[in-house]
Amino acid sequence: MKSDMPPRTRGGYTSTAPRRRPTGSERRRRVQLREVEPEHPRHDRDETEEVLEGAPGGPIDRCILRSFHKHVATKIWLGEDRAPLKLVNHGAKLQLWELDVDRSRIYETVQRSGLAPLISCSHRVASRPMLSAFCERWQPETTTFHLPFGEMTITLDDVASILHIPITGSMISFSQPLRVDDANALLVELLGTTDVEASRETEQCRSPSVRLQWLRENFSTITDVSSDDDIDFATRAFLLHLVGCTLFADKSATSVGVVYLELFRDLSMVGSYAWGAACLAFMYRQLTTATRFEVRQLGGYLTLLQAWIYEHFPEMFSSPDMAYIESRPRALRWRPHVIPDSLQSLRERLDRLQISYVCWEPYVDHRAEHPFPDITWFSGCIKCGLVVEPYHPERVLRQFGHIQTIPPRPFAPPRPDRSILLDQYWERWIDHVLIDHSRGRRCHYSGESVAEYMAWYDRISHRIVQPPHLRSGFTTDARSSLPSHTASTSDSRNARALRLLRHVISGGRQQSGDYFWGALNEAHSILAGSDETSASHSTPSPAPASHSTPSPATRPFFCPPTFVYPPPASVDPPPASVDPPPAAVDPHPSSPVAPPAPAAGPTTSTTVYVRSKRKKKT
């Protein structure tokens, strides 16, 4: 019997076909797609979001930082503070498994893999306040740090110079997450363990992972006299332990994923991977996760992040190692130390940071040993397994010595399941580097940008993290005003005097006494406020003709070659009204020491002086 109802219409066209009901699995999939929010929002949508109220330093135009309402900086503006992040640093654990002369065969394989520099360049100490302050300035959409004067980020050139590991080669790709059963099979096949041992270890980790301590206990005793299979098992275990302590240190703080063991199946092919690019993608993802207010821990290779801060902000945080030579990784150039400042103090220091304190090209002296890699200009996506992150060199042109222009809008990375397309894109990286027009012109001075860049950056960025009413030293009357990016007069004098004294100290004992005296006299003049003529300048006057440019050996250590403090042009004699320094005073008043007698005076004058003091005391 035919129905008298009119036929259904689909998209304006009449159709007599019956309507198919969705299956149960299809309905569940639709619900999951509606509930799951993408971690990297697409930037080609037309929908707009409301501008965040109560954050005068925040982005006015939310077309770039679309997820800023979830950022930790938003909570800080609203008065909710977050303690310094807990850091996952395994620098000390690397010393527990040493490759001595009895394990030379293992070390030779590690050296061919390109990962040997990680053994010696890992920092054992990491500064929680410093790294936490920089994490608060990381923006996931642009994968850059947003500072008061513009954007900066860790580039492939930074990874190659700081760590000396390969940044070219095959991408590290995994088709799907590793299951526990597959992890047990890999442990049996590639490490020679039994099924019982593998199952017990993964059950203890409650994931397809193994403990770093378990790797050391079971494989660190194998030497060159062992069988070839045992040496191969120990080599794979050492490489897994090495990347778990450095490149891919996750927030478990004690284990490493078995999925990386697949990369060491063929030990002759370990050196063909782009380890530096994978490390950078993993670091980007850890920084992105740490920007959420509820996150309390930071993973990734913290030596890379900490050394990058030392290289680009040497006058604020660094402590150089004077015995460093340029043939070694730049991570060894610094002595890691804990910054004594609090997190709030570092926030305010970064809020007042000026462009003159940034070393934009720190590797000029390093180019003779490590030339600039062209792959640094690659613009696309980098990946580490299922982690895919965008890489935007066009946003940080000043770090390459080029004039910064207004960059295009960042792109969202594709899904990890399209790994084949990403791998092909990376293999043809030479076709996806920035063209000369996109790179712009060379800078006339460090940190140069086009005239309209800062106006655009003010509109789309969040330059100030610490709110004005929570700043130290702010009065009630000043709470309604925005914080200034320039320090006060006294702060400016103190900062200039400290900069001058740091350059003097870093120069070592190879500088002349006149230079020392001139620098101290100039610092005294700055603090006394008598240098009115130079108060408006942040850099000293040019060196006179009689002084030559210092050689790299005598140049202040952490100063870039294009920015050297010369000796002052004229050294004024000390003022006549300055009193001579007082004589040394004995801290024990019960045993007074007589002052030295004049050369022409009698020798008994000292005795008389002591007796008179004693009589007066009794």
Side-chain angles (χ1 to χ4, degrees):
M1 179 176 181
K2 296 183 180 180
S3 176
D4 298 334
M5 297 181 61
R8 300 184 181 95
T9 59
R10 296 181 180 177
Y13 296 94
T14 303
S15 175
T16 59
R19 186 175 181 179
R20 185 178 60 86
R21 297 181 59 184
T23 61
S25 60
E26 187 175 1
R27 286 197 298 267
R28 287 192 298 269
R29 184 179 62 85
R30 292 178 181 178
V31 172
Q32 291 176 358
L33 291 177
R34 285 195 298 266
E35 292 179 352
V36 175
E37 182 180 357
E39 187 169 355
H40 295 277
R42 295 186 59 86
H43 303 298
D44 54 356
R45 296 181 296 183
D46 296 332
E47 59 191 45
T48 58
E49 299 181 21
E50 184 181 359
V51 177
L52 182 67
E53 298 292 339
I60 301 174
D61 187 355
R62 294 283 289 275
C63 65
I64 303 296
L65 306 183
R66 289 182 174 270
S67 64
F68 185 73
H69 60 284
K70 300 180 181 179
H71 202 278
V72 62
T74 303
K75 299 291 185 180
I76 297 175
W77 270 101
L78 298 178
E80 301 182 37
D81 201 357
R82 184 176 73 172
L85 296 170
K86 297 180 180 180
L87 305 180
V88 180
N89 187 27
H90 300 297
K93 295 180 181 179
L94 290 174
Q95 311 301 323
L96 302 178
W97 192 347
E98 297 182 355
L99 298 181
D100 50 16
V101 293
D102 295 334
R103 298 167 180 84
S104 59
R105 294 178 61 182
I106 300 177
Y107 181 75
E108 290 175 359
T109 306
V110 175
Q111 200 169 21
R112 288 193 302 267
S113 68
L115 300 175
L118 300 176
I119 302 175
S120 59
C121 70
S122 297
H123 293 173
R124 303 184 63 178
V125 178
S127 178
R128 290 179 60 191
M130 181 182 69
L131 299 184
S132 301
F134 274 87
C135 282
E136 294 172 353
R137 294 185 170 274
W138 181 262
Q139 297 297 337
E141 287 84 359
T142 61
T143 59
T144 56
F145 298 101
H146 282 225
L147 298 166
F149 44 79
E151 300 179 47
M152 298 183 68
T153 193
I154 309 174
T155 64
L156 290 172
D157 180 39
D158 291 314
V159 177
S161 300
I162 293 174
L163 303 180
H164 280 195
I165 59 176
I167 59 175
T168 58
S170 302
M171 273 289 186
I172 294 179
S173 301
F174 306 126
S175 57
Q176 58 186 358
L178 190 68
R179 298 181 302 177
V180 176
D181 295 340
D182 297 333
N184 295 337
L186 277 178
L187 293 175
V188 173
E189 179 184 2
L190 301 181
L191 294 186
T193 61
T194 62
D195 293 332
V196 177
E197 293 175 345
S199 301
R200 185 187 302 117
E201 183 60 25
T202 53
E203 287 177 2
Q204 183 169 353
C205 294
R206 298 181 179 179
S207 64
S209 306
V210 293
R211 290 174 296 133
L212 299 172
Q213 182 181 0
W214 180 81
L215 292 173
R216 293 193 299 267
E217 291 175 351
N218 289 274
F219 300 96
S220 61
T221 58
I222 297 178
T223 61
D224 292 343
V225 298
S226 305
S227 62
D228 294 342
D229 292 339
D230 290 341
I231 292 177
D232 290 343
F233 295 153
T235 303
R236 296 189 184 101
F238 181 85
L239 290 172
L240 183 62
H241 181 272
L242 181 61
V243 299
C245 290
T246 55
L247 304 183
F248 312 131
D250 55 23
K251 290 189 291 185
S252 67
T254 57
S255 60
V256 57
V258 183
V259 66
Y260 302 111
L261 190 60
E262 182 65 36
L263 304 174
F264 310 128
R265 176 182 295 274
D266 188 354
L267 293 175
S268 62
M269 298 296 294
V270 178
S272 63
Y273 293 107
W275 294 105
C279 172
L280 189 58
F282 193 86
M283 190 75 249
Y284 281 2
R285 179 59 58 87
Q286 296 298 317
L287 289 170
T288 297
T289 306
T291 59
R292 299 296 179 250
F293 181 77
E294 62 275 6
V295 177
R296 297 291 185 267
Q297 200 170 8
L298 176 64
Y301 196 20
L302 300 185
T303 297
L304 173 63
L305 177 59
Q306 186 165 254
W308 180 86
I309 297 174
Y310 290 160
E311 291 286 352
H312 290 277
F313 307 93
E315 299 182 25
M316 294 184 61
F317 306 106
S318 64
S319 178
D321 185 358
M322 307 304 291
Y324 170 78
I325 55 177
E326 292 295 341
S327 60
R328 308 177 70 187
R330 291 294 284 246
L332 299 174
R333 188 189 184 201
W334 311 103
R335 295 176 179 175
H337 61 285
V338 178
I339 303 297
D341 298 3
S342 64
L343 178 56
Q344 179 179 353
S345 175
L346 291 177
R347 286 175 188 160
E348 298 182 11
R349 289 177 64 185
L350 291 178
D351 287 342
R352 297 192 300 265
L353 184 63
Q354 299 178 7
I355 197 171
S356 59
Y357 284 83
V358 181
C359 181
W360 294 98
E361 298 180 83
Y363 312 119
V364 176
D365 292 340
H366 199 60
R367 293 306 181 200
E369 298 289 340
H370 201 279
F372 180 82
D374 293 334
I375 198 174
T376 305
W377 292 113
F378 169 78
S379 180
C381 289
I382 53 178
K383 61 179 296 188
C384 174
L386 299 178
V387 175
V388 181
E389 292 290 335
Y391 177 73
H392 299 291
E394 62 274 8
R395 308 190 71 89
V396 291
L397 294 177
R398 291 179 289 187
Q399 292 183 221
F400 310 123
H402 291 248
I403 299 176
Q404 182 62 57
T405 58
I406 297 179
R409 297 179 65 175
F411 52 86
R415 298 188 305 270
D417 55 2
R418 302 178 63 185
S419 59
I420 298 178
L421 297 178
L422 292 176
D423 294 345
Q424 295 175 355
Y425 197 85
W426 173 260
E427 291 175 0
R428 299 192 302 267
W429 64 266
I430 195 64
D431 299 330
H432 305 287
V433 297
L434 294 181
I435 60 177
D436 294 340
H437 175 72
S438 300
R439 301 179 189 181
R441 294 177 286 110
R442 294 286 301 181
C443 289
H444 298 90
Y445 56 89
S446 297
E448 184 181 2
S449 60
V450 295
E452 60 274 12
Y453 175 75
M454 286 308 300
W456 168 84
Y457 184 68
D458 281 336
R459 191 173 66 256
I460 61 97
S461 180
H462 183 79
R463 304 201 306 173
I464 306 300
V465 174
Q466 188 72 8
H469 63 279
L470 296 180
R471 282 178 172 268
S472 57
F474 253 68
T475 59
T476 307
D477 299 335
R479 291 186 179 185
S480 60
S481 61
L482 285 175
S484 174
H485 293 291
T486 58
S488 61
T489 304
S490 59
D491 293 340
S492 177
R493 289 175 181 172
N494 294 338
R496 292 173 56 216
L498 287 176
R499 288 181 64 190
L500 181 62
L501 294 178
R502 284 171 183 165
H503 281 284
V504 173
I505 295 173
S506 65
R509 299 184 178 181
Q510 301 179 358
Q511 304 174 80
S512 62
D514 294 339
Y515 177 53
F516 274 104
W517 171 251
L520 293 177
N521 183 63
E522 185 178 350
H524 177 271
S525 301
I526 292 174
L527 295 175
S530 60
D531 60 332
E532 301 297 336
T533 59
S534 61
S536 61
H537 302 283
S538 60
T539 56
S541 57
S546 59
H547 296 283
S548 60
T549 303
S551 62
T554 61
R555 183 185 298 133
F557 184 77
F558 53 78
C559 222
T562 58
F563 187 67
V564 180
Y565 262 92
S570 62
V571 180
D572 298 331
S577 60
V578 177
D579 298 331
V585 179
D586 193 352
H588 306 285
S590 60
S591 57
V593 180
T603 57
T604 59
S605 61
T606 302
T607 307
V608 173
Y609 173 78
V610 174
R611 288 178 180 177
S612 63
K613 293 289 288 185
R614 288 179 178 176
K615 289 180 180 180
K616 188 179 294 185
K617 186 174 182 180
T618 57

